[in-house]
Amino acid sequence: MSTPLTDAPTESTTPRRMARGAHWLVLRQHRAILLCLLGLTVLASLWLVHQRGQLIDLLDAAGWPEKDVPQPVVGRQYENLTMLLGSLPVILAVFLGAPLIAADIEQGTARLVTTQTVTRRRWLVTKLGWCFGAALVSCVVLSALFTWWWRPYRSVLSYSWLEPTVFDNTGPVLPALALFLTAAGVTIGVLLRRVLASMVVTFVFAVVVETAWDLLREHLAPTRTFTYPLDAELPARLSESYEVERWAASADGTLYGWGSCAEATDEALDACLAKTGIVDNVIEYLDYEQMAAMQWTGAGILLAGTVALTVFVVWRSSRQPL
């Protein structure tokens, strides 16, 4: 006869031994996906180091920074690398998060485990801890290496710092996005209780989140504006800025669409400028100096979502049988 489910350990089992048993069980259950994640992290890390070495050799051969470097500096290998990093949160959500609890529910392992010496809460917290820990370590390592690869040479790369290939793969964004999507996968698995359905729904949810994140990214910090004469060049200090919008402006500050007089011939252009009184260019932009604050703001939003989803999973699992 099985022992009734309880949140208290039996008298014959110490908490320390029970904790070790729970960790051993989780590692044994998920050793395949954890080993795959470890291998992926190691291979991607070596790939990053190799790519950085190739970039340094290319720049040295071109005489950079004293000489300009022909564009594009990086090619298909860079695109493949950033695609892999950008896909990692989705991969973790679908193959690690979604089946984490759903597989145990579907196979009956959850009920079996919690009738032994491991309490339901201990088992759940252990699984979530290993899951989130593995995702966090992998993404922190890869994000740190990619930041080390990109930051010193960003001025010669033809990719803006606000593009997903850079913004989402450097700093805290990659780990935070991976944790949020993984937590979402776990939550979907607990709700649907079927592995395949959970993986499919998690993938669709991750695509929706990635799309929404693309729309949110520009709004993580207030934009700035800069006005300069119509016939002047954009100052060099704004060379790394991300242009959000551009206008033409008259002396009294009235804004016109940037192409208001752009298509006119020379004679018509003078007449158009005289009629509208346009004398300045106005650019609305996000500065590179805002990048770190924007990344931490976005990471904070994602981590808050991760905490909320994790609390919901623990709460629901403690109130309803798995």
Side-chain angles (χ1 to χ4, degrees):
M1 182 175 180
S2 61
T3 305
L5 180 61
T6 176
D7 282 336
T10 61
E11 293 182 0
S12 61
T13 306
T14 65
R16 180 176 298 178
R17 183 177 299 172
M18 183 179 66
R20 286 201 300 266
H23 288 294
W24 178 86
L25 177 61
V26 170
L27 285 174
R28 184 172 178 81
Q29 273 189 304
H30 304 286
R31 62 186 182 277
I33 185 65
L34 292 176
L35 287 173
C36 288
L37 181 58
L38 175 62
L40 178 64
T41 303
V42 171
L43 291 176
S45 299
L46 294 175
W47 192 5
L48 276 163
V49 173
H50 176 68
Q51 286 291 302
R52 189 178 191 269
Q54 285 192 324
L55 177 62
I56 292 174
D57 292 341
L58 177 64
L59 294 177
D60 288 344
W64 183 84
E66 289 76 15
K67 298 180 180 179
D68 293 334
V69 181
Q71 295 292 332
V73 177
V74 292
R76 189 65 180 175
Q77 291 293 323
Y78 176 86
E79 295 176 2
N80 292 337
L81 178 60
T82 53
M83 183 182 299
L84 172 64
L85 295 180
S87 302
L88 186 56
V90 179
I91 294 172
L92 290 171
V94 173
F95 293 99
L96 179 60
L100 187 74
I101 309 298
D104 288 348
I105 296 174
E106 188 175 48
Q107 298 167 6
T109 308
R111 187 175 298 277
L112 175 64
V113 169
T114 53
T115 58
Q116 307 305 312
T117 57
V118 180
T119 65
R120 180 190 303 171
R121 184 172 298 175
R122 169 72 68 179
W123 169 78
L124 184 62
V125 169
T126 302
K127 287 180 77 75
L128 291 175
W130 276 104
C131 174
F132 292 159
L136 181 63
V137 169
S138 175
C139 290
V140 165
V141 169
L142 294 178
S143 177
L145 283 173
F146 185 75
T147 303
W148 168 73
W149 184 97
W150 172 81
R151 183 168 290 163
Y153 309 105
R154 64 183 186 275
S155 61
V156 298
L157 300 174
S158 56
Y159 296 88
S160 168
W161 58 268
L162 197 57
E163 290 187 20
T165 54
V166 175
F167 189 89
D168 293 352
N169 293 334
T170 57
V173 178
L174 182 63
L177 186 57
L179 287 176
F180 175 73
L181 290 181
T182 303
V186 173
T187 305
I188 292 169
V190 168
L191 294 175
L192 297 185
R193 307 169 70 89
R194 292 293 181 269
V195 175
L196 183 58
S198 300
M199 293 175 73
V200 172
V201 173
T202 297
F203 176 77
V204 174
F205 178 81
V207 172
V208 172
V209 169
E210 295 273 11
T211 303
W213 182 252
D214 286 341
L215 299 176
L216 175 65
R217 194 180 295 109
E218 289 186 12
H219 304 285
L220 293 173
T223 57
R224 301 173 180 178
T225 57
F226 182 78
T227 303
Y228 60 102
L230 193 64
D231 57 351
E233 296 290 335
L234 187 68
R237 67 182 181 84
L238 298 181
S239 60
E240 291 188 288
S241 63
Y242 176 82
E243 183 177 315
V244 177
E245 188 59 271
R246 181 185 289 265
W247 299 277
S250 60
D252 62 1
T254 302
L255 297 178
Y256 298 88
W258 185 72
S260 297
C261 298
E263 297 181 359
T265 61
D266 291 343
E267 185 175 342
L269 176 62
D270 293 337
C272 180
L273 294 177
K275 180 180 178 181
T276 57
I278 292 176
V279 294
D280 291 322
N281 287 311
V282 179
I283 179 175
E284 181 183 6
Y285 68 99
L286 290 165
D287 195 77
Y288 170 70
E289 295 178 354
Q290 297 174 273
M291 180 181 181
M294 292 174 67
Q295 287 183 314
W296 282 106
T297 299
I301 295 172
L302 293 169
L303 291 175
T306 302
V307 172
L309 290 173
T310 304
V311 170
F312 172 78
V313 167
V314 175
W315 172 82
R316 181 180 175 85
S317 301
S318 64
R319 291 178 63 89
Q320 296 187 8
L322 295 173

